[in-house]
Amino acid sequence: MREIREDKGIEDLLNRSEALLTGHFILSSGLHSDKYVQCAKYLQYPEMAEVAGKKLARLFADVKINVVIGGAFGGIIIAYELARALHARGVFAERVDGVFQLRRGFEIRPGEKVLIAEDVITTGKSVKEVMDLVAGFGAEIIGAASLIDRNMAESESLGIRTEWLHSVQAHTYDPSDCPLCKEGNLPAVKPGSRGVSQK
Ligand code: ZN
């Protein structure tokens, strides 16, 4: 597990944009959870995305970065805002038959210093996939940056410098042994699906 970081300013923006929900949720894994993060709701506000980009850029101010790359779709906006703040190129990788590739004429050249950006790092699996892509171009991976770290017990060590602004720890439960279900007064919802009320 990575360390806990708290950025009250970012937390406030996450709440204001309703990107951070508290309640009783069914995750895509099928587990139930007391919190849900949808970074797209934060990043839909360009001024909030800009704040995150500037703060993350400060954490990498000691090194010249040529390219910031995000994995589609979650990493696209934060990579672009980081690139703006770092005066670098902002590109994104997209999956073709499940494997990240550079398309649309994007290039990463041998020896370029590359930063990988994500909206949220959960297990780190998709960052690792982008690392494999970048390494294949002979570029130098400087690190990975994300708005949020989920601080999951099963987080893999990425083996590279990793910076993030805010940790969001959720409790997750097997549906057969979920205390929120046992309370019974709070139906579980799948965020993002139709009919979920957005209070
Ligand atoms: Zn439950």
Side-chain angles (χ1 to χ4, degrees):
M1 280 171 72
R2 286 176 281 267
E3 71 184 73
I4 303 288
R5 292 186 185 174
E6 279 197 344
D7 183 319
K8 290 293 178 195
I10 292 292
E11 187 177 32
D12 178 54
L13 295 177
L14 286 165
N15 286 323
R16 272 167 52 192
S17 60
E18 299 180 328
L20 186 54
L21 301 177
T22 301
H24 186 194
F25 305 101
I26 304 172
L27 305 180
S28 53
S29 61
L31 294 175
H32 289 194
S33 174
D34 61 345
K35 279 188 192 147
Y36 186 78
V37 189
Q38 178 49 272
C39 289
K41 293 201 63 164
Y42 176 106
L43 294 167
Q44 71 180 315
Y45 298 102
E47 64 276 19
M48 293 192 191
E50 185 182 16
V51 168
K54 282 183 175 166
K55 286 190 180 213
L56 281 171
R58 264 181 234 135
L59 299 174
F60 286 94
D62 55 310
V63 55
K64 170 67 187 165
I65 287 163
N66 304 114
V67 184
V68 186
I69 181 170
F73 290 94
I76 294 178
I77 295 173
I78 194 67
Y80 191 82
E81 286 298 331
L82 245 173
R84 186 204 303 275
L86 290 166
H87 304 288
R89 306 201 305 282
V91 304
F92 59 88
E94 55 200 298
R95 291 185 191 278
V96 179
D97 297 327
V99 180
F100 274 134
Q101 292 188 9
L102 277 190
R103 304 187 72 195
R104 300 164 200 276
F106 288 149
E107 283 182 287
I108 294 177
R109 293 183 275 274
E112 283 197 307
K113 292 182 172 15
V114 179
L115 181 59
I116 297 166
E118 265 292 357
D119 54 352
V120 52
I121 293 181
T122 304
T123 62
K125 188 169 168 288
S126 67
V127 171
K128 285 211 160 164
E129 291 179 58
V130 177
M131 285 169 66
D132 289 342
L133 173 71
V134 172
F137 295 117
E140 182 184 349
I141 299 168
I142 298 300
S146 71
L147 171 60
I148 288 176
D149 184 85
R150 286 295 304 276
N151 199 255
M152 304 286 275
E154 63 268 32
S155 293
E156 299 175 51
S157 169
L158 295 169
I160 55 171
R161 178 176 173 185
T162 307
E163 301 282 2
W164 64 99
L165 297 179
H166 189 68
S167 302
V168 172
Q169 280 191 296
H171 296 102
T172 53
Y173 307 104
D174 188 278
S176 64
D177 189 31
C178 171
L180 300 169
C181 283
K182 283 171 189 162
E183 285 170 24
N185 54 0
L186 197 65
V189 293
K190 277 188 182 173
S193 57
R194 286 172 62 209
V196 175
S197 70
Q198 302 284 350
K199 282 177 228 155

